[in-house]
């Protein structure tokens, strides 16, 4: 398990919040955490001040692992709904609170159970590989899950020669260029990563010719073709740490740069476009975390019949990678 990313004295209040309120909210969160025996986990795209109160900050795969392995009674998930659902799916004995109840993922909403059934009927020999950015009900219809960190590994480990890849067309297309299997990508996409254009990447490269370009596989094929490396959010952090390069152009949600900059003070980092902001990821604030813990609200519940089938798909992934 990674260490917490910060200590109290390293943190500063977000714009518009007084130091007094900031400290009060942080103290409240830490007190409630102890009283509830809670683990706070945050996705790499969360606001800096939310990342700073978390016990663990990571990518989707790491958050699912934390959810499975924790001994805490309560998991407070700072991220979007499917991430909190993943924790319930793999660890139903814990209480899982979604810090901000309205935080969803538009890509996850682009596919429903009926769509998966229709695609299965269309490609009867294919296995369904399901990106974790999906509802529990869609996972329950799938053979195996994957994240951006292990999608290729999961596809290659699946016995079928044909793969229905849901719901991200870009990750699905990227995997199809790396595997010998026939991949049918479902036409979903991330509204945030889709905003990044190849023209913006070229312009950034021209301005910083010495830089390495790293991109998330939810970006379009044109963008990925221009990248030096295509990586999940936590893989990007490791890449920057281990690379001898000094300047990086980052093609993913801007929140990632908080942790990346802290862990790499000797490197210069640029997010390629200021439009790379996920509004859903930014909904979680210190206030929402504190209130959710205080009221024990936003408890994530999944009908057992769906949870058990979704667990099969998620556990298969966790065994593969
Ligand atoms: P990671 O698994 O790479 O953290 O990505 C999750 C996500 O929602 C990207 O948009
Ligand atoms: Fe969903 Fe995209 Fe936001 Fe990730 S960045 S949570 S895929 S909308």
């Amino acid at each position: 398990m990674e260490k917490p990313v910060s200590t109290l004295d390293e943190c500063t209040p977000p714009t518009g919040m007084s130091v007094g309120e900031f400290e009060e909210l942080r103290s409240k969160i830490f007190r409630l955490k102890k009283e509830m025996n809670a683990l706070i986990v945050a996705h790499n795209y969360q606001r800096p001040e939310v990342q700073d109160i978390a016990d663990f900050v990571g990518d989707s795969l790491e958050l699912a692992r934390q959810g499975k392995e924790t001994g805490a009674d309560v998991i407070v998930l700072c991220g979007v709904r499917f991430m909190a659902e993943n924790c319930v799916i793999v660890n139903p004995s814990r209480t899982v609170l979604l810090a901000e109840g309205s935080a969803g993922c538009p890509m996850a909403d682009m596919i429903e159970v009926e769509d998966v059934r229709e695609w299965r009927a269309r490609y009867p020999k294919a296995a369904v590989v399901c990106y974790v950015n999906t509802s529990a009900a869609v996972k329950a219809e799938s053979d195996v899950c994957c994240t951006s960190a292990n999608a290729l590994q999961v596809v290659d480990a699946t016995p079928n020669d044909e793969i229905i890849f849901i719901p991200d067309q870009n990750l699905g297309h990227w995997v199809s260029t790396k595997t010998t299997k026939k991949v049918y990508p479902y036409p979903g996409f991330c509204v945030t990563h889709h905003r990044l254009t190849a023209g913006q990447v070229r312009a950034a490269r021209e301005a910083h010719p010495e830089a390495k370009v790293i991109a998330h596989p939810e970006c379009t094929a044109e963008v990925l073709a221009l990248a030096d490396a295509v990586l999940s959010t936590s893989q990007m952090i490791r890449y920057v740490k281990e690379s001898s390069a000094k300047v990086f152009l980052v093609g993913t949600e801007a929140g990632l740069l908080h942790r990346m900059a802290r862990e790499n003070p000797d490197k210069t980092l640029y997010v390629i476009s200021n439009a790379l902001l996920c509004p859903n990821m930014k909904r979680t604030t210190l206030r929402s975390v504190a209130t959710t813990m205080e009221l024990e609200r936003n408890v994530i519940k999944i009908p057992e019949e769906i949870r058990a089938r979704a667990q099969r798909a998620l556990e298969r992934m966790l065994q593969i990678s």
Side-chain angles (χ1 to χ4, degrees), residues 45 80 82-83 104-107 131 133 190-193 218 253 278 280-281:
Y45 295 159
V80 293
F82 77 80
M83 295 174 176
C105 168
M107 182 204 286
Y131 192 27
N133 298 40
C190 165
V191 286
T192 298
H193 286 86
E218 288 173 15
E253 215 272 353
C278 172
N280 278 278
M281 282 285 182

Side-chain angles (χ1 to χ4, degrees), residues 225-301:
L226 297 171
D228 294 302
V230 176
L231 303 162
S232 82
T233 55
S234 287
Q235 287 171 344
M236 285 184 183
I237 288 175
R238 283 192 283 280
Y239 179 93
V240 168
K241 211 179 264 179
E242 286 161 16
S243 169
S244 57
K246 290 286 174 215
V247 185
F248 298 86
L249 302 170
V250 183
T252 196
E253 215 272 353
L256 185 69
L257 272 77
H258 173 61
R259 184 174 155 202
M260 210 179 239
R262 176 173 287 167
E263 294 182 12
N264 297 281
D266 57 326
K267 307 204 168 163
T268 307
L269 312 167
Y270 299 97
V271 64
I272 301 174
S273 160
N274 288 332
L276 284 166
L277 281 174
C278 172
N280 278 278
M281 282 285 182
K282 299 308 187 227
R283 284 189 182 170
T284 311
T285 62
L286 283 186
R287 287 187 196 103
S288 52
V289 177
T291 310
T292 293
M293 292 176 80
E294 191 170 34
L295 303 178
E296 294 200 37
R297 67 179 182 182
N298 306 337
V299 180
I300 301 295
K301 298 224 186 285

Side-chain angles (χ1 to χ4, degrees), residues 28 47 114 116 162 176 180-181 185 189 193 206 248 270 279-280 292:
K28 190 176 189 177
R47 291 172 184 274
E114 292 67 33
V116 187
E162 294 176 42
S176 78
T180 53
K181 302 194 178 206
F189 61 94
H193 286 86
E206 239 168 70
F248 298 86
Y270 299 97
N280 278 278
T292 293

